[in-house]
Structures are given as C-alpha cells and as structure tokens.
Amino acid sequence: MKEKLITGFILILFLFFSCSKEDCVTCIAESKSGKIIETRLACDKDSEYLRGFINGFKERDNENTKDSITVHCAYSE
C-alpha cells in the first residue's frame, strides 16, 4: 500500500511539472505613419524561445526597412 501511495505521489508531481503553462508573446510591426504592417503571435513553454522570437522579429524588420518600422512586443498572461 505504501508503494502505491508513493508511486501515485510521484505521478502527480510529474503531471504538475510537465503541464506547465505556456507563455505567449505578440509582436506588432508599425510604420512611422501608424499603419500596422504585420502582427505575429508565438506561444511556448521556453522563455528563451520567446526572447529569440522577439529579437528575430525586430532584427528582420529593421534589416528590411531601414528603421522605418517600429516593432512593439508584449507578453500575454
């Protein structure tokens, strides 16, 4: 009986940690005139991935448009 209780407790802990909530980030590319050029959304459990997504989106738009676009990103809960 004790082994089943310990096994059950370990399974519950495993499920708790494996079902962690994903974070999402939304990025908007906006022209100087205020027109929205592009919107992107990414969701992932890995915060490093989301930081890379944001940095990549900002770098891509700056390279392609010579700084005529402003990129705004925000995390959603």
Side-chain angles (χ1 to χ4, degrees), residues 49-62:
Y49 170 80
L50 294 176
R51 279 195 288 270
F53 171 81
I54 291 170
N55 291 335
F57 190 76
K58 287 181 178 182
E59 287 176 16
R60 182 186 62 108
D61 280 329
N62 283 336

Side-chain angles (χ1 to χ4, degrees), residues 7-40:
T7 304
F9 181 72
I10 291 171
L11 286 174
I12 289 171
L13 283 177
F14 176 76
L15 287 174
F16 177 76
F17 287 111
S18 67
C19 295
S20 63
K21 183 182 168 192
E22 285 188 340
D23 291 321
C24 295
V25 65
T26 303
C27 291
I28 298 172
E30 178 183 19
S31 69
K32 298 284 183 189
S33 65
K35 181 179 176 186
I36 294 176
I37 305 299
E38 185 177 0
T39 303
R40 292 238 175 149

Side-chain angles (χ1 to χ4, degrees), residues 56-75:
F57 190 76
K58 287 181 178 182
E59 287 176 16
R60 182 186 62 108
D61 280 329
N62 283 336
E63 288 174 1
N64 293 337
T65 60
K66 309 280 191 262
D67 295 324
S68 63
I69 290 180
T70 305
V71 175
H72 304 281
C73 296
Y75 285 90

